[in-house]
Amino acid sequence: RYFLVGSNPAETKYRVLKIDRTEPKDLVIIDDKHVYTQQEVRELLGRLDLGNRTKMGQKGSSGLSRAVSAFGIVGFVRFLEGYYIVLITKRRKMADIGGHAIYKIEDTNMIYIPNDSVRVSHPDEARYLRIFQNVDLSSNFYFSYSYDLSHSLQYNLTVLRMPLETLKTETTQTRQESFDIFEDEGLSTQGGSGVFGICSKPYEKYVWNAKLLEAVRSAVHRDWLLYIIHGFCGQSKLLIYGRPIYVTLIARRSSKFAGTRFLKRGANCEGDVANEVETEQILYDASVMSFSAGSYSSYVQVRGSVPLYWSQDISTMMPKPPITLDQADPYAHVAALHFDQMLQRFGSPIIILNLVKEREKRKHERILSEELVAAVTYLNQFLPPEHAIIYIPWDMAKYTKSKLCNVLDRLNVIAESVVKKTGFFVNRPDSYCSILRPDEKWNELGGCVVSTGRLQTGVLRTNCVDCLDRTNTAQFMVGKCALAYQLYSLGLIDKPNLQFDTDAVRLFEELYEDHGDTLSLQYGGSQLVHRVKTYRKIAPWTQHSKDIMQTLSRYYSNAFSDADRQDSINLFLGVFKPAEGKPHLWELPTDFYLHHKNTLSLSQTRQSYTYWWTTGVLKHLPLPFDEVTCAENRRKLTVKKFHKYEEEIDIHNEFFRPYELSSFDETFCLAMTNSTRDFMPKNVGIDPSPFTVRKPDETGKSVLGNKNNREETVLQRKTAASAPPPPSEEAVSSSSEDDSGTDKEDEGAVSQRSTPVKVTDTGDNTKITENVVQSTKDVYGVNLSDIPSEDDLAIYARFVQLGQSQHKQDKGSQQFCSKRPLDKVINLIPISSFSQDNIYEVQPPRADRKSIEIFHAHIQAGRGNMQPLGRDDFLMYREYIRNRYM
């Protein structure tokens, strides 16, 4: 047998799973649902060890050996032989939301469960295992023990914080129906010491190991179930005059109709689209950590393929294969299913920003635009006008080529109108400063205003053909606009506007570039080709060669490695299940039938052509159906009662871990990307505000001192498999080799334009060197050549006289001072605990007798001579033991 022992972070509570290894093909797991203390677990393992030894009393042969230490279970999987267990063996902290840690999986371990004695071998097992392991779990899979990553922050902070009265009525009803929903776990209900908590079912669409946990979900306690998401997670610290604001970006990739670029296009028969990613930006004031007392804000947007039946044939080996519409859909059946899902999760209005080309010599991308317009027009006929789907077509490629038009200015106008319609989430009422400094844009803001703050209603859905390069830039601009409103709502800026080339926007842009690179690698096989700098038209000329390399990388990946990756994803997500007598995964000519269920069986229920939404959705609009209080949603919730001193709800112990020895150098919040350290210029006299516009060559990255620290910081968020450092970081980290980095060339070009240069001819080649002498204004922030004003001179003279007079007063006799008082001397009264305090000498304060005794006792304790404990000490220690262990 295998025994799986799991504990809480403090290692005070344990659960034990027993896995039977005698079954060759079935999974037999026994969970006794009992919570053990550390002592009980040691005794249990000791008894098991003793009982499984070969000879009683023989100490040399251990009956129980540790197989592996892990941080969680990804799931259980079976191909043609027995079951494997997939365990997380390495993790790295990537973000922190209200004290809840979010980890990235760094390494996993697959262990075959059945014993070798009962193993029934199969020739194709090894091949399936290799295909399964082709899904690299160490690249961009994330999990959290205490925070639900599959839902948005708005859902987690509204649905999971229902009023206590509702909870009490719910618990009394559900307790009569089923005892498991309301777990007591031996707690007494007297004295009002109970704390109610709600746990929700995860949103299956964004959970990637749902099929792997299916075999054990009903058999084990829910604490064993760890749900993982795939996508991106990054966090940076924005310091506003020392006040820490954490900016977090979480992208959840849909596990439905998932796959690679040319093999997954459009939508399947259930309304799930290819490359569907929900991006959420969370902003919160890290100086107050808890969800109840802190200030939290979030904004959600979505990207996804055009929801139609369409594909591209890659057998032609063309860089841009022709787009074909596979099925006629006159009643927009697939689009209706897709937008119905969105209305349930996000509410209304749903805004579509379509960035595909409108004018082409040969009809290519325009095919999708025409079909999408027809589908949206048809569906809007039946919706109430106030909840209609809003369609915004904008040919981004055409505007980019135009020399007269600024792409990002136009996108900014679209972003403003979108954020005004949807609003954003904030968990506190509008601050008083927005009444003191009213802003007309703030008063026009949409969304839903409630007593506890604001809710986002509706969502922006952005798409181009691939939903990679153009989409990422458009999402960045909308995110930047929403970020300004979020900062304004938390009272951190006086107007909801953010300008380019400020530290805050540079930090946010880097987060979005990492986010875009990671998602592009997952779906397209290469990093972004066109970045925000490309559309701002400030990208250096070396960027063009990098773009060509990324295009070639994408083409190679699509032509040669995408088919294998698609097979791996199908096997990992349980879309294909190996079975005896059925064709193998590599024998299938296409996976079309796996993803389109209606090709194998006719569905019994047919959706209405006119009432295309789920019943009950319209009644609650503009609020999302998933977040309203109704019987259907209550069934998804589990209510649990905790003791108020329980460690599970003690966020202080969870976050600060007083039972562990922690090093400041390894603390996540100190190592994360920081606006002051990584983006603010290092010159003296610079305005430290992250909202001050800097020159393009003024950035903390161009004058980084310590290379190793920088590399560690980069490593915190970026991984080799997902998003390698952006050009600027590559340039800095390779500064010892050659200065061919993108941003370095850019910085050099800019600085040559902005500073006087001298050209010196040395033989054949001509070197351009910057003038080393800088003006005092650049170095100190003030121009020293200007003569100080008369007022400043008078203040300075008075300060000098004050220091000289005080020095004389200290050194001369007290008699002399009393007889001949000096002119213009202020009597200084010491305001500190020091008896005499001036700019020359300090006399230390006298320590009282009790302090000296404590210090001597401390010294003696260090030498091993302990003082006898008093009665108060015993009482305090007894109280500590009772609260922690009993």
Side-chain angles (χ1 to χ4, degrees), residues 697 745-757 768-770:
D697 59 333
E745 302 230 359
D746 189 24
E747 286 157 11
V750 173
S751 55
Q752 284 162 22
R753 286 198 295 273
S754 58
T755 16
V757 294
I768 297 175
T769 55
E770 290 185 25

Side-chain angles (χ1 to χ4, degrees), residues 540-542 546 702 727-728 730-749 770:
W541 59 271
T542 50
K546 287 199 170 189
S702 57
S728 59
E730 286 173 2
V732 174
S733 58
S734 63
S735 57
S736 58
E737 294 154 21
D738 64 333
D739 294 351
S740 61
T742 307
D743 270 20
K744 281 221 163 174
E745 302 230 359
D746 189 24
E747 286 157 11
E770 290 185 25

Side-chain angles (χ1 to χ4, degrees), residues 22-56:
T22 57
E23 289 290 334
K25 292 202 173 181
D26 293 333
L27 184 66
V28 179
I29 289 189
I30 299 158
D31 181 7
D32 57 9
K33 306 275 175 88
H34 180 69
V35 179
Y36 296 89
T37 62
Q38 194 171 42
Q39 186 64 33
E40 287 171 347
V41 155
R42 279 183 183 158
E43 287 172 5
L44 175 71
L45 295 177
R47 285 198 301 273
L48 288 168
D49 182 36
L50 205 62
N52 286 300
R53 283 185 187 164
T54 49
K55 289 179 184 175
M56 284 299 286

Side-chain angles (χ1 to χ4, degrees), residues 558-576:
N558 299 154
F560 300 107
S561 63
D562 275 7
D564 292 338
R565 282 174 58 212
Q566 185 64 59
D567 283 348
S568 304
I569 291 168
N570 289 343
L571 189 62
F572 184 84
L573 291 173
V575 176
F576 176 86

Side-chain angles (χ1 to χ4, degrees), residues 154-171:
Q154 176 168 315
Y155 181 93
N156 287 338
L157 289 193
T158 50
V159 175
L160 301 188
R161 288 182 62 193
M162 286 164 64
L164 191 62
E165 293 72 36
T166 322
L167 279 183
K168 280 181 178 170
T169 53
E170 282 300 303
T171 52

Side-chain angles (χ1 to χ4, degrees), residues 618-839:
L618 276 194
K619 189 169 66 176
H620 300 287
L621 288 179
L623 288 172
F625 181 70
D626 284 355
E627 290 173 23
V628 296
T629 311
C630 63
E632 192 176 328
N633 285 340
R634 280 179 193 162
R635 281 197 287 273
K636 297 175 189 171
L637 303 177
T638 307
V639 181
K640 187 173 178 182
K641 188 166 181 255
F642 295 94
H643 198 280
K644 67 179 176 185
Y645 293 122
E646 198 144 355
E647 281 171 338
E648 251 179 281
I649 55 170
D650 184 356
I651 202 76
H652 178 274
N653 272 8
E654 177 75 27
F655 183 74
F656 289 104
R657 302 192 169 215
Y659 43 81
E660 277 181 11
L661 183 66
S662 49
S663 161
F664 272 136
D665 295 337
E666 293 164 10
T667 308
F668 170 73
C669 53
L670 296 179
M672 72 163 79
T673 306
N674 184 319
S675 65
T676 306
R677 184 183 63 217
D678 300 327
F679 293 93
M680 196 176 85
K682 300 295 182 282
N683 302 354
V684 183
I686 288 285
D687 181 3
S689 167
F691 309 114
T692 305
V693 178
R694 318 272 188 213
K695 292 176 190 170
D697 59 333
E698 275 188 345
T699 171
K701 297 199 170 184
S702 57
V703 282
L704 282 169
N706 192 339
K707 179 180 163 185
N708 292 339
N709 284 358
R710 181 69 199 127
E711 285 174 350
E712 282 172 20
T713 313
V714 168
L715 188 71
Q716 277 296 321
R717 190 171 68 235
K718 299 168 191 73
T719 56
S722 60
S728 59
E729 283 151 359
E730 286 173 2
V732 174
S733 58
S734 63
S735 57
S736 58
E737 294 154 21
D738 64 333
D739 294 351
S740 61
T742 307
D743 270 20
K744 281 221 163 174
E745 302 230 359
D746 189 24
E747 286 157 11
V750 173
S751 55
Q752 284 162 22
R753 286 198 295 273
S754 58
T755 16
V757 294
K758 51 185 180 185
V759 180
T760 53
D761 191 3
T762 56
D764 300 333
N765 56 347
T766 306
K767 288 185 182 177
I768 297 175
T769 55
E770 290 185 25
N771 193 350
V772 181
V773 182
Q774 288 182 298
S775 67
T776 51
K777 177 77 176 170
D778 290 340
V779 179
Y780 298 109
V782 289
N783 204 341
L784 296 180
S785 59
D786 296 343
I787 300 167
S789 64
E790 288 184 9
D791 291 346
D792 291 340
L793 285 169
I795 291 167
Y796 181 66
R798 191 174 168 201
F799 170 73
V800 170
Q801 189 186 14
L802 178 68
Q804 289 171 344
S805 305
Q806 175 68 5
H807 190 45
K808 285 174 191 170
Q809 188 181 16
D810 293 341
K811 296 297 179 192
S813 64
Q814 293 295 328
Q815 257 185 348
F816 176 75
C817 287
S818 58
K819 284 178 187 173
R820 296 186 54 191
L822 294 164
D823 296 333
K824 298 180 183 175
V825 174
I826 299 166
N827 272 336
L828 295 177
I829 302 163
I831 56 167
S832 70
S833 61
F834 298 101
S835 58
Q836 188 180 6
D837 223 352
N838 60 40
I839 56 174

